[in-house]
Amino acid sequence: MLKEGRNLLSPDPYYAGSAGFVGSTLEALHGDMSVLALPDYVPESVRRSHDGIRNAYIYSYFAYDLLTLAAAQTFPCLELALRLRIGHQFAGRTTRKGKPMPPAMLGELLGAANAQGLVAADVRSITMIRNMFAHGSDTVLNAPIFLEPFRYVTAMIAELFDPAKNSHVP
């Protein structure tokens, strides 16, 4: 439900203590995200997408639905990073009949990045979590449930572009 204008800066009931996230303050949410910035070596478009997720998480203090939005956008952000890092490897693919294949999707990109040693990811668990959000879910998130996969994805994105690990990052 859309809040009334006069209540925009009031905590969402989930955070106000009347519905469930007792102890989650605006400052605590900001602190959670302050430590999850991506390094400067990650492409700017990925950092911008990632920062949008971090902001949605923080501002979910005022509108809980922003937490579910942040969760839903986590995996497209990862997919963007993977496409920028290894998407070129899938260009020009065709079916047996010579028709162009669609772009590689998250699972295939993750599998390729993992096989190439670019990320040390549990591809199955990431794909299962992503599918839960991409195909609709009535899961009631809270900060801890969101944070664990977001930390994992943040570390994976940083690993993908780490110049110490990848001397030939495009």
Side-chain angles (χ1 to χ4, degrees), residues 57-98:
Y57 174 86
I58 294 166
Y59 287 98
S60 73
Y61 182 78
F62 300 108
Y64 164 78
D65 293 337
L66 293 174
L67 185 60
T68 58
L69 180 70
Q73 289 305 306
T74 297
F75 300 99
C77 180
L78 173 59
E79 190 168 339
L80 171 63
L82 287 161
R83 284 189 194 292
L84 290 175
R85 180 65 176 90
I86 64 169
H88 65 280
Q89 297 173 6
F90 298 91
R93 297 186 309 168
T94 58
T95 65
R96 288 186 215 131
K97 295 183 180 183

Side-chain angles (χ1 to χ4, degrees), residues 95-147:
T95 65
R96 288 186 215 131
K97 295 183 180 183
K99 294 185 178 184
M101 290 181 67
M105 302 310 280
L106 180 63
E108 189 174 12
L109 290 163
L110 272 173
N114 187 268
Q116 295 170 39
L118 298 174
V119 294
D122 178 0
V123 176
R124 288 181 309 239
S125 67
I126 288 290
T127 303
M128 283 182 0
I129 294 167
R130 178 254 176 212
N131 287 343
M132 180 177 78
F133 292 111
H135 302 295
S137 172
D138 60 358
T139 300
V140 176
L141 286 176
N142 62 25
I145 291 173
F146 169 81
L147 279 174

Side-chain angles (χ1 to χ4, degrees), residues 10-26 29 60-62 64:
S10 299
D12 188 279
Y14 278 109
Y15 292 100
S18 60
F21 303 162
V22 177
S24 291
T25 64
L26 184 58
L29 296 174
S60 73
Y61 182 78
F62 300 108
Y64 164 78

